């Protein structure tokens, strides 16, 4: 507040007291007419004094408002006055700040704790449907697990570069290392207009089409693989977008994998769908190490196709389905067999081939409560050379079928907090007919920030 504004009340009070004192002194000394005239003169004098200070005070107040308005514009890019120089963005919170170079950084993530009771299953708290104990060899029954290692931190960057859209993302959790207790990079990439450079979820995958699962390792039948890549994206129209990328495949490969995706939104935003293609190399480790025993068939072409969709039937109900067919790859989809095995007679590669499916529905019971019922499966070709060689070698790690169903309920008493409870039941069957079961209950508490 300016000095003039502080002085204003005191000046007005002083003038009022002066007028009152003068009136009292003149009451007995002058006639009624003289008192009226003197009062008029004093009122005129008071008006003159006020006119000297009121404009100045108003001016100071106007200047303060202008300054405040200017600061608001600088710190609020969504202000209408900035429409010509900056795109509209959500109002900043305390988790948004600027770096020394001028980049806007948004901090996000969550704190999460998980617990699980496993009647039967694999060695660990989260999904291992492809490695659950086989009947007669159970080692991981009746176990309780808990962890907070899935807690996640992320930074989204947006830089003010003239004539270009520049951004980036860095996201980590604590599931790294052999014991899943060190920092692990999930996403680390930069974007320049329509290009992306760095590590993020493979273009061959569609995580937006998967049913919600409390289990951190994600559902059977889909993929979450994050890989280093170079990707270009664009749009044919507002509802149809395409993505093309070169991505890192297996370490033994001589060339990157080629992936592409076509994404189409329909029904005025109520539905979305995608079709994807994968081309990759399946190359043996022996070939990678220049083993002299290998024939000319030390590498084969691996490929995959996928299609999926999600549709919102109402504000409360949505359903999703995704299907993939893959040959000669074990990297991009979860819980699959090895990409190949080696024929001991001619040292050629026998490629694994399989179908993967996931489908489910989510129902929003009320604004704070939702539930998901879903199913996932993997069906491997049991008539090809890969399956025959697995039987001969008694390879119990390779599966003919995997199936898994789950039901969960999620409760959010307030927006940033979610509690979850989930039941999972699954089965696996090897190529030689052995079976194993997955039977467990999990719980979760999460605080998003």
């Amino acid at each position: 507040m300016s000095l003039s504004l502080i002085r204003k009340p005191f000046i007005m009070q002083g003038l009022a007291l002066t007028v009152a004192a003068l009136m009292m002194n003149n009451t007995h000394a002058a006639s009624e007419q003289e008192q009226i005239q003197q009062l008029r003169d004093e009122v005129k004098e008071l008006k003159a004094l006020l006119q000297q200070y009121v404009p100045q005070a108003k001016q100071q107040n106007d200047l303060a408002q202008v300054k405040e308005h200017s600061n608001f514009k600088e710190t609020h890019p969504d202000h209408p006055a900035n429409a010509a120089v900056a795109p509209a963005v959500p109002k900043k919170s305390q988790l948004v700040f600027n770096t020394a170079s001028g980049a806007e950084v948004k901090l996000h993530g969550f704190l999460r704790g998980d617990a699980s009771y496993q009647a039967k299953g694999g060695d660990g708290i989260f999904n291992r449907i492809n490695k659950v104990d086989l009947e007669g060899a159970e080692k991981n029954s009746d176990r309780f697990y808990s962890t907070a290692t899935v807690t996640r931190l992320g930074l989204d960057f947006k830089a003010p570069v003239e004539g270009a859209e520049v951004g980036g993302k860095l996201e980590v959790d604590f599931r790294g290392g052999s014991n899943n207790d060190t920092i692990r990079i999930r996403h680390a990439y930069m974007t320049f207009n329509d290009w992306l450079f760095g590590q993020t979820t493979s273009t061959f995958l569609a995580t937006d089409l998967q049913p919600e699962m409390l289990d951190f390792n994600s559902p059977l039948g889909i993929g979450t693989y994050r890989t280093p890549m170079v990707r270009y994206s664009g749009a044919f129209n507002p509802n149809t977008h395409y993505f093309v990328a070169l991505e890192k495949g297996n370490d033994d490969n001589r060339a990157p994998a080629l992936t592409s995706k076509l994404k189409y939104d329909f029904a005025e935003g109520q539905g979305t769908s995608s079709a994807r293609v994968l081309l990759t190399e399946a190359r043996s480790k022996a070939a990678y190490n220049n083993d002299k025993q290998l024939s000319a068939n030390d590498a084969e072409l691996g490929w995959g196709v996928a299609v999926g969709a999600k549709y919102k039937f109402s504000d409360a109900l949505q359903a999703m389905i995704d299907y993939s067919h893959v040959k000669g790859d074990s990297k991009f989809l979860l819980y699959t067999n090895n990409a190949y095995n080696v024929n001991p007679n001619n040292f050629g590669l026998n490629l694994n081939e399989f179908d993967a499916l996931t489908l489910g529905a989510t129902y929003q019971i009320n604004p704070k409560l939702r539930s998901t019922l879903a199913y996932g499966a993997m069906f491997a070709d049991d008539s090809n050379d890969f399956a025959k060689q697995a039987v001969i070698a008694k390879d119990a790690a390779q599966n003919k079928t995997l199936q898994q169903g789950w039901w969960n309920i999620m409760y959010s008493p307030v927006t940033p907090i979610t509690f979850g409870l989930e039941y999972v039941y699954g089965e696996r069957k090897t190529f030689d007919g052995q079976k194993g079961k997955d039977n467990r209950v999990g719980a979760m508490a999460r605080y998003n920030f």
Side-chain angles (χ1 to χ4, degrees), residues 130-131 336-338 394-399 428 430:
N130 60 321
K131 297 180 179 180
T336 61
N337 297 323
N338 294 339
K394 298 182 179 180
D395 188 352
Q398 310 307 313
N399 298 295
R428 79 167 173 126
T430 65

Side-chain angles (χ1 to χ4, degrees), residues 129-438:
I129 181 61
N130 60 321
K131 297 180 179 180
V132 299
D133 294 339
L134 295 172
E135 293 178 351
E138 288 89 349
K139 299 181 297 181
N140 299 293
S141 300
D142 297 320
R143 288 194 175 188
F144 175 79
Y145 298 94
S146 63
T147 184
T149 58
V150 300
T151 293
R152 186 180 304 174
L153 295 172
L155 296 172
D156 291 342
F157 301 87
K158 184 178 181 181
V161 179
E162 184 177 355
E165 295 182 8
V166 178
K169 186 180 188 69
L170 175 63
E171 183 180 283
V172 300
D173 63 15
F174 300 89
R175 298 289 292 173
S178 57
N179 295 322
N180 288 328
D181 58 359
T182 59
I183 289 179
R184 174 184 66 165
I185 295 177
R186 292 171 53 84
H187 301 273
Y189 63 81
M190 61 163 286
T191 58
F192 179 73
N193 291 334
D194 297 326
W195 291 91
L196 181 146
F197 307 88
Q199 176 176 301
T200 191
T201 306
S202 172
T203 308
F204 182 62
L205 306 176
T207 55
D208 59 323
L209 303 181
Q210 72 181 53
E212 184 175 27
M213 191 178 199
L214 181 151
D215 190 295
F216 182 77
N217 275 2
S218 299
L220 170 64
I222 61 97
T224 59
Y225 182 55
R226 295 171 294 276
T227 176
M229 69 175 70
V230 177
R231 184 171 73 194
Y232 180 82
S233 60
F236 294 117
N237 55 57
N239 295 322
T240 309
H241 296 77
Y242 64 89
F243 308 81
V244 180
L246 293 175
E247 306 183 13
K248 182 182 181 300
N250 289 302
D251 292 335
D252 309 325
N253 294 0
R254 291 168 290 193
L258 173 64
T259 60
S260 63
K261 179 192 295 187
L262 183 66
K263 190 174 186 297
Y264 174 65
D265 298 327
F266 60 94
E268 298 182 349
Q270 295 294 103
T272 184
S273 62
S274 72
R276 291 101 64 195
V277 175
L278 164 70
L279 292 176
T280 187
E281 182 183 42
R283 189 184 185 212
S284 69
K285 293 183 179 180
Y288 180 72
N289 295 323
N290 297 318
D291 193 312
K292 302 300 183 181
Q293 291 183 322
L294 286 175
S295 69
N297 289 327
D298 59 1
E300 298 283 349
L301 177 65
W303 57 273
V305 293
V307 61
K310 179 171 65 175
Y311 184 72
K312 192 172 183 180
F313 294 93
S314 67
D315 292 339
L317 178 64
Q318 64 176 349
M320 60 288 296
I321 183 171
D322 196 57
Y323 165 79
S324 304
H325 182 88
V326 178
K327 182 176 182 179
D329 182 77
S330 59
K331 200 78 171 180
F332 292 91
L333 292 182
L334 293 168
Y335 316 118
T336 61
N337 297 323
N338 294 339
Y340 62 86
N341 54 32
V342 179
N343 188 314
N345 298 319
N346 59 17
F347 302 104
L349 301 186
N350 303 319
L351 300 185
N352 176 47
E353 190 168 3
F354 65 92
D355 298 292
L357 173 71
T358 182
L359 56 91
T362 297
Y363 186 73
Q364 191 75 39
I365 302 170
N366 60 50
K368 297 182 178 182
L369 193 66
R370 66 183 183 275
S371 181
T372 297
L373 179 65
Y375 168 82
M378 186 282 297
F379 304 100
D381 185 347
D382 63 346
S383 63
N384 59 13
D385 291 337
F386 177 90
K388 295 174 182 178
Q389 182 60 36
V391 173
I392 294 173
K394 298 182 179 180
D395 188 352
Q398 310 307 313
N399 298 295
K400 176 183 176 181
T401 61
L402 299 173
Q403 298 185 75
Q404 192 173 62
W406 65 96
W407 171 81
N408 61 50
I409 188 163
M410 303 289 186
Y411 174 62
S412 298
V414 293
T415 301
I417 294 177
T418 301
F419 299 101
L421 185 67
E422 181 172 79
Y423 174 68
V424 180
Y425 180 83
E427 295 182 352
R428 79 167 173 126
K429 183 178 180 181
T430 65
F431 286 111
D432 60 0
Q434 298 184 74
K435 296 181 180 181
K437 293 183 179 181
D438 184 24

Side-chain angles (χ1 to χ4, degrees), residues 95 106-111 151-154 416 447-449:
L95 299 182
K106 179 181 179 181
L107 172 66
H108 62 88
F110 53 73
L111 304 174
T151 293
R152 186 180 304 174
L153 295 172
Y447 171 70
N448 293 322
F449 58 86

Side-chain angles (χ1 to χ4, degrees), residues 68-81:
E68 181 181 359
H69 180 72
S70 177
N71 291 338
F72 183 83
K73 287 170 56 180
E74 293 175 0
T75 57
H76 292 74
D78 55 343
H79 190 272

